[in-house]
mmCIF file of all heavy atoms in Angstrom:
data_model
loop_
_atom_site.group_PDB
_atom_site.id
_atom_site.type_symbol
_atom_site.label_atom_id
_atom_site.label_comp_id
_atom_site.label_asym_id
_atom_site.label_seq_id
_atom_site.Cartn_x
_atom_site.Cartn_y
_atom_site.Cartn_z
ATOM 1 N N GLU A 1 176.026 -14.278 33.482
ATOM 2 C CA GLU A 1 175.084 -15.259 33.075
ATOM 3 C C GLU A 1 173.777 -15.183 33.730
ATOM 4 O O GLU A 1 172.621 -15.634 33.216
ATOM 5 C CB GLU A 1 175.559 -16.725 33.277
ATOM 6 C CG GLU A 1 176.858 -16.926 32.412
ATOM 7 C CD GLU A 1 178.132 -16.678 33.378
ATOM 8 O OE1 GLU A 1 178.021 -15.961 34.411
ATOM 9 O OE2 GLU A 1 179.208 -17.259 33.008
ATOM 10 N N THR A 2 173.719 -14.613 34.962
ATOM 11 C CA THR A 2 172.442 -14.587 35.772
ATOM 12 C C THR A 2 171.986 -13.220 36.160
ATOM 13 O O THR A 2 170.867 -13.070 36.738
ATOM 14 C CB THR A 2 172.614 -15.438 37.087
ATOM 15 O OG1 THR A 2 173.733 -14.818 37.802
ATOM 16 C CG2 THR A 2 172.917 -16.892 36.744
ATOM 17 N N ALA A 3 172.683 -12.196 35.796
ATOM 18 C CA ALA A 3 172.201 -10.865 36.208
ATOM 19 C C ALA A 3 170.890 -10.571 35.393
ATOM 20 O O ALA A 3 170.747 -10.811 34.218
ATOM 21 C CB ALA A 3 173.254 -9.789 35.746
ATOM 22 N N GLY A 4 169.875 -10.172 36.037
ATOM 23 C CA GLY A 4 168.576 -9.785 35.470
ATOM 24 C C GLY A 4 167.705 -10.975 35.420
ATOM 25 O O GLY A 4 166.491 -10.898 34.952
ATOM 26 N N VAL A 5 168.185 -12.124 35.730
ATOM 27 C CA VAL A 5 167.364 -13.416 35.675
ATOM 28 C C VAL A 5 166.468 -13.422 36.893
ATOM 29 O O VAL A 5 166.886 -13.373 37.999
ATOM 30 C CB VAL A 5 168.157 -14.698 35.497
ATOM 31 C CG1 VAL A 5 167.355 -15.842 35.588
ATOM 32 C CG2 VAL A 5 169.072 -14.674 34.204
ATOM 33 N N PRO A 6 165.186 -13.554 36.761
ATOM 34 C CA PRO A 6 164.253 -13.625 37.858
ATOM 35 C C PRO A 6 164.586 -14.864 38.724
ATOM 36 O O PRO A 6 164.785 -15.969 38.266
ATOM 37 C CB PRO A 6 162.867 -13.672 37.276
ATOM 38 C CG PRO A 6 163.061 -14.164 35.979
ATOM 39 C CD PRO A 6 164.414 -13.728 35.474
ATOM 40 N N VAL A 7 164.506 -14.632 40.101
ATOM 41 C CA VAL A 7 164.919 -15.626 41.065
ATOM 42 C C VAL A 7 163.658 -15.813 41.949
ATOM 43 O O VAL A 7 163.115 -14.950 42.576
ATOM 44 C CB VAL A 7 166.088 -15.392 41.966
ATOM 45 C CG1 VAL A 7 166.323 -16.490 42.876
ATOM 46 C CG2 VAL A 7 167.378 -15.164 41.056
ATOM 47 N N ILE A 8 163.270 -17.189 42.104
ATOM 48 C CA ILE A 8 162.099 -17.528 42.977
ATOM 49 C C ILE A 8 162.855 -18.260 44.144
ATOM 50 O O ILE A 8 163.325 -19.253 43.903
ATOM 51 C CB ILE A 8 161.097 -18.458 42.318
ATOM 52 C CG1 ILE A 8 160.432 -17.680 41.086
ATOM 53 C CG2 ILE A 8 160.045 -18.876 43.273
ATOM 54 C CD1 ILE A 8 159.379 -18.468 40.393
ATOM 55 N N LEU A 9 162.546 -17.772 45.362
ATOM 56 C CA LEU A 9 163.165 -18.385 46.591
ATOM 57 C C LEU A 9 162.276 -19.480 46.931
ATOM 58 O O LEU A 9 161.021 -19.401 47.017
ATOM 59 C CB LEU A 9 163.298 -17.396 47.621
ATOM 60 C CG LEU A 9 164.524 -16.345 47.574
ATOM 61 C CD1 LEU A 9 164.470 -15.530 48.863
ATOM 62 C CD2 LEU A 9 165.758 -17.113 47.298
ATOM 63 N N LEU A 10 162.885 -20.725 47.199
ATOM 64 C CA LEU A 10 162.165 -21.889 47.828
ATOM 65 C C LEU A 10 162.269 -21.898 49.315
ATOM 66 O O LEU A 10 163.447 -22.060 49.806
ATOM 67 C CB LEU A 10 162.669 -23.134 47.271
ATOM 68 C CG LEU A 10 162.791 -23.214 45.700
ATOM 69 C CD1 LEU A 10 163.414 -24.436 45.236
ATOM 70 C CD2 LEU A 10 161.310 -23.149 45.065
ATOM 71 N N CYS A 11 161.276 -21.532 49.991
ATOM 72 C CA CYS A 11 161.329 -21.205 51.473
ATOM 73 C C CYS A 11 160.751 -22.355 52.266
ATOM 74 O O CYS A 11 159.786 -22.961 51.838
ATOM 75 C CB CYS A 11 160.575 -19.935 51.753
ATOM 76 S SG CYS A 11 161.206 -18.488 50.997
ATOM 77 N N ASP A 12 161.375 -22.591 53.368
ATOM 78 C CA ASP A 12 160.803 -23.574 54.459
ATOM 79 C C ASP A 12 159.447 -22.937 55.003
ATOM 80 O O ASP A 12 159.223 -21.575 54.979
ATOM 81 C CB ASP A 12 161.804 -23.701 55.556
ATOM 82 C CG ASP A 12 162.983 -24.516 55.068
ATOM 83 O OD1 ASP A 12 162.833 -25.304 54.027
ATOM 84 O OD2 ASP A 12 164.054 -24.229 55.570
ATOM 85 N N VAL A 13 158.657 -23.725 55.608
ATOM 86 C CA VAL A 13 157.314 -23.231 56.162
ATOM 87 C C VAL A 13 157.778 -22.653 57.421
ATOM 88 O O VAL A 13 157.722 -23.255 58.646
ATOM 89 C CB VAL A 13 156.328 -24.400 56.330
ATOM 90 C CG1 VAL A 13 155.055 -23.814 56.943
ATOM 91 C CG2 VAL A 13 156.118 -25.026 55.016
ATOM 92 N N SER A 14 158.025 -21.281 57.432
ATOM 93 C CA SER A 14 158.442 -20.616 58.626
ATOM 94 C C SER A 14 157.831 -19.277 58.819
ATOM 95 O O SER A 14 158.314 -18.462 59.547
ATOM 96 C CB SER A 14 160.020 -20.413 58.644
ATOM 97 O OG SER A 14 160.362 -19.767 57.442
ATOM 98 N N GLY A 15 156.683 -18.984 58.100
ATOM 99 C CA GLY A 15 155.976 -17.715 58.304
ATOM 100 C C GLY A 15 156.400 -16.736 57.216
ATOM 101 O O GLY A 15 157.270 -16.919 56.441
ATOM 102 N N PRO A 16 155.677 -15.658 57.095
ATOM 103 C CA PRO A 16 155.803 -14.592 56.118
ATOM 104 C C PRO A 16 157.121 -13.828 56.233
ATOM 105 O O PRO A 16 157.538 -13.229 55.202
ATOM 106 C CB PRO A 16 154.648 -13.742 56.253
ATOM 107 C CG PRO A 16 154.168 -13.870 57.632
ATOM 108 C CD PRO A 16 154.451 -15.283 58.025
ATOM 109 N N ALA A 17 157.709 -13.838 57.358
ATOM 110 C CA ALA A 17 158.986 -12.950 57.578
ATOM 111 C C ALA A 17 160.078 -13.349 56.501
ATOM 112 O O ALA A 17 160.694 -12.508 55.880
ATOM 113 C CB ALA A 17 159.445 -13.065 58.905
ATOM 114 N N GLU A 18 160.316 -14.634 56.310
ATOM 115 C CA GLU A 18 161.330 -15.140 55.348
ATOM 116 C C GLU A 18 161.071 -14.670 53.916
ATOM 117 O O GLU A 18 161.878 -14.325 53.117
ATOM 118 C CB GLU A 18 161.484 -16.710 55.467
ATOM 119 C CG GLU A 18 162.557 -17.233 54.645
ATOM 120 C CD GLU A 18 162.757 -18.675 54.713
ATOM 121 O OE1 GLU A 18 161.988 -19.245 55.490
ATOM 122 O OE2 GLU A 18 163.469 -19.291 53.939
ATOM 123 N N GLU A 19 159.670 -14.781 53.659
ATOM 124 C CA GLU A 19 159.302 -14.438 52.307
ATOM 125 C C GLU A 19 159.527 -12.945 52.041
ATOM 126 O O GLU A 19 159.985 -12.522 50.912
ATOM 127 C CB GLU A 19 157.803 -14.809 52.128
ATOM 128 C CG GLU A 19 157.603 -16.299 52.212
ATOM 129 C CD GLU A 19 156.054 -16.682 52.309
ATOM 130 O OE1 GLU A 19 155.215 -15.853 52.682
ATOM 131 O OE2 GLU A 19 155.691 -17.775 51.711
ATOM 132 N N LEU A 20 159.009 -12.115 53.018
ATOM 133 C CA LEU A 20 159.229 -10.659 52.879
ATOM 134 C C LEU A 20 160.714 -10.327 52.696
ATOM 135 O O LEU A 20 160.968 -9.499 52.006
ATOM 136 C CB LEU A 20 158.543 -9.911 53.950
ATOM 137 C CG LEU A 20 157.070 -10.004 53.929
ATOM 138 C CD1 LEU A 20 156.490 -9.381 55.195
ATOM 139 C CD2 LEU A 20 156.504 -9.223 52.714
ATOM 140 N N SER A 21 161.544 -10.965 53.620
ATOM 141 C CA SER A 21 162.943 -10.728 53.484
ATOM 142 C C SER A 21 163.545 -10.925 52.087
ATOM 143 O O SER A 21 164.263 -10.212 51.572
ATOM 144 C CB SER A 21 163.684 -11.528 54.566
ATOM 145 O OG SER A 21 165.074 -11.347 54.501
ATOM 146 N N GLY A 22 163.102 -12.113 51.541
ATOM 147 C CA GLY A 22 163.555 -12.519 50.216
ATOM 148 C C GLY A 22 163.113 -11.488 49.140
ATOM 149 O O GLY A 22 163.976 -11.087 48.269
ATOM 150 N N LEU A 23 161.949 -11.001 49.293
ATOM 151 C CA LEU A 23 161.476 -10.024 48.262
ATOM 152 C C LEU A 23 162.230 -8.740 48.433
ATOM 153 O O LEU A 23 162.510 -8.010 47.367
ATOM 154 C CB LEU A 23 159.967 -9.761 48.474
ATOM 155 C CG LEU A 23 159.043 -10.876 48.145
ATOM 156 C CD1 LEU A 23 157.549 -10.672 48.626
ATOM 157 C CD2 LEU A 23 159.062 -11.154 46.625
ATOM 158 N N THR A 24 162.538 -8.361 49.627
ATOM 159 C CA THR A 24 163.304 -7.118 49.909
ATOM 160 C C THR A 24 164.642 -7.261 49.276
ATOM 161 O O THR A 24 165.184 -6.245 48.799
ATOM 162 C CB THR A 24 163.391 -6.813 51.353
ATOM 163 O OG1 THR A 24 162.057 -6.695 51.931
ATOM 164 C CG2 THR A 24 164.156 -5.522 51.643
ATOM 165 N N ARG A 25 165.354 -8.408 49.262
ATOM 166 C CA ARG A 25 166.594 -8.539 48.772
ATOM 167 C C ARG A 25 166.654 -8.709 47.272
ATOM 168 O O ARG A 25 167.674 -8.734 46.704
ATOM 169 C CB ARG A 25 167.261 -9.837 49.435
ATOM 170 C CG ARG A 25 167.392 -9.893 50.839
ATOM 171 C CD ARG A 25 168.535 -8.831 51.172
ATOM 172 N NE ARG A 25 169.869 -9.145 50.899
ATOM 173 C CZ ARG A 25 170.738 -9.822 51.638
ATOM 174 N NH1 ARG A 25 170.457 -10.256 52.759
ATOM 175 N NH2 ARG A 25 171.922 -9.983 51.171
ATOM 176 N N GLY A 26 165.467 -8.803 46.746
ATOM 177 C CA GLY A 26 165.413 -8.774 45.122
ATOM 178 C C GLY A 26 164.880 -9.966 44.485
ATOM 179 O O GLY A 26 164.874 -10.086 43.289
ATOM 180 N N ALA A 27 164.389 -10.975 45.287
ATOM 181 C CA ALA A 27 163.814 -12.047 44.698
ATOM 182 C C ALA A 27 162.483 -11.709 43.926
ATOM 183 O O ALA A 27 161.761 -10.708 44.304
ATOM 184 C CB ALA A 27 163.364 -13.144 45.801
ATOM 185 N N ALA A 28 162.212 -12.330 42.952
ATOM 186 C CA ALA A 28 161.065 -12.029 42.132
ATOM 187 C C ALA A 28 159.702 -12.599 42.718
ATOM 188 O O ALA A 28 158.661 -12.115 42.620
ATOM 189 C CB ALA A 28 161.130 -12.487 40.657
ATOM 190 N N ASP A 29 159.976 -13.690 43.579
ATOM 191 C CA ASP A 29 158.806 -14.440 44.115
ATOM 192 C C ASP A 29 159.380 -15.384 45.116
ATOM 193 O O ASP A 29 160.473 -15.575 45.259
ATOM 194 C CB ASP A 29 157.966 -15.025 43.065
ATOM 195 C CG ASP A 29 156.471 -15.348 43.513
ATOM 196 O OD1 ASP A 29 156.202 -15.132 44.715
ATOM 197 O OD2 ASP A 29 155.770 -15.797 42.644
#
C-alpha cells in the first residue's frame, strides 16, 4: 500500500545531519 509513495520526514530542530540522513534513506523531503 505504501511502496513508491513519497515520504516527508518531520524532523526535530537538530541541525542538517538528521535531514541529510533521511534523504539518504530514501525520504522525498
Side-chain angles (χ1 to χ4, degrees):
E1 301 91 341
T2 56
V5 175
V7 177
I8 299 178
L9 286 183
L10 304 176
C11 300
D12 294 327
V13 182
S14 57
E18 183 182 356
E19 297 171 329
L20 289 174
S21 175
L23 292 171
T24 302
R25 296 295 292 264
D29 201 352

